[in-house]
Amino acid sequence: MRDLDDMDDLSDTLDLGRPIEAVEFAEHEPVARHRAQNSSGSQRTLIAIIAGIAAVVIAGASLGAWQAWRQSEQSRLLALSACNTKLQAYDEAVEHFEQIKQDFATVSDISEEHVSDAETVKTLRAELSKAIPSRVECPADGKQDVQEYTGITLDNAVHALTTQGQGITDAAKRVTESQEEKSLQDTRASLNEAINAGETTLKESENNVQDNSIRDDLRQALDAAINASPSDDLDALAGHIETVKGKTAAVKDAMTAKKQADEAAEARAAALRELEAAENEDAENAETDNAQTDDAHSEASAPSTSDLIHSCWVTKNDGGYQDVSYLSSHGWTLERAQADCEQRKASQR
């Protein structure tokens, strides 16, 4: 019952003829205005917050972009510096490569006939004919990837130069070794030739020299050379060659001297025999002449054989003997003087 009474009191208070919404808004109009005012303020605050956030985002993006650019530029400059370092290494590699070629310029002039293996010369020429990798610059304004690519190119060029330089060094070493081997072969061949010639001379000189000690010297030189022939010492081998040649020549000279001495002795013996034969013939003729001219020999007696070697005794018109010294006064040989003497004697018989 209390509830119903309350309802009656409420009906007296409210205007039941107006719509409920109108009644509510009418009674809450100040609240609505307050709410509208609060809503407008919130929107402005939200807009301000959004603008602030946008500004922060934009500022952050700009800062991030600047930092990214700065980091990228630093990386690019580092790449440029590394590229220039590699370019310097390339220049040094080229200088070293040119020095290698200069050091082996003499070796590169060695021809095939002066080495034991001609292929070593061909290999060296092939190494020297290879082109030097081109020089590339590091662009100052180039991007990082350009600097890095240029650096890789320079690294490859330095590696190629190092490889070519080592190839030239190795090839030149092989040429030098081949040349030394050829020199060793030639020297050993010359030594063997000298030994063979010495052995031949030693055999031919047996009983054909006046002093046999010179043949003993040659024998010792030959034995020493034979023992040294397997050696790789070029100077020692060359020394043995000269020694053997010198001793061989000495023996040959001794053989020649003995031959000449023997020939001279034989010539003198032949001349003496001819003189003795002529003396005997003259003696026989003289016996006949003496029988007819015993009283005519008033000036001198007949010469001896030794006198005839140096002079020519001929009969004078008055029956005496005349001394004609052809050997001493005319410088004739014994054979010519004797022949002339015999001719003079024959003309006076």
Side-chain angles (χ1 to χ4, degrees), residues 109-116 175 178-180 182-183 186:
D109 292 335
I110 297 175
S111 57
E112 287 88 340
E113 59 268 19
H114 294 144
V115 296
S116 59
V175 170
S178 185
Q179 183 187 36
E180 292 175 351
K182 181 67 164 56
S183 297
D186 292 345

Side-chain angles (χ1 to χ4, degrees), residues 208-210 253-269:
N208 288 323
V209 294
Q210 293 178 338
D253 290 342
M255 292 171 61
T256 301
K258 186 177 185 304
K259 182 180 179 181
Q260 290 176 347
D262 292 345
E263 290 176 350
E266 178 62 27
R268 288 193 297 270

Side-chain angles (χ1 to χ4, degrees), residues 144-156:
Q144 179 179 349
D145 58 345
V146 175
Q147 307 295 352
E148 292 174 349
Y149 178 79
T150 304
I152 293 174
T153 302
L154 291 170
D155 281 339
N156 293 336

Side-chain angles (χ1 to χ4, degrees), residues 90-103:
Y90 168 86
D91 292 338
E92 292 174 354
V94 170
E95 182 178 356
H96 180 65
F97 179 78
E98 293 295 343
Q99 184 62 48
I100 290 176
K101 293 177 66 176
Q102 182 177 350
D103 291 341

Side-chain angles (χ1 to χ4, degrees), residues 243-322:
T243 300
V244 170
K245 285 184 176 180
K247 299 296 183 181
T248 301
V251 172
K252 287 183 176 181
D253 290 342
M255 292 171 61
T256 301
K258 186 177 185 304
K259 182 180 179 181
Q260 290 176 347
D262 292 345
E263 290 176 350
E266 178 62 27
R268 288 193 297 270
L272 184 57
R273 288 193 298 269
E274 290 179 0
L275 287 173
E276 290 177 346
E279 184 181 38
N280 293 334
E281 183 180 354
D282 289 342
E284 293 176 357
N285 293 332
E287 291 180 357
T288 304
D289 293 338
N290 288 338
Q292 298 176 356
T293 60
D294 290 337
D295 297 332
H297 300 286
S298 60
E299 189 170 324
S301 62
S304 64
T305 303
S306 60
D307 291 333
L308 286 173
I309 294 176
H310 301 285
S311 304
C312 181
W313 294 80
V314 296
T315 304
K316 295 171 62 178
N317 293 331
D318 58 2
Y321 287 92
Q322 181 182 7

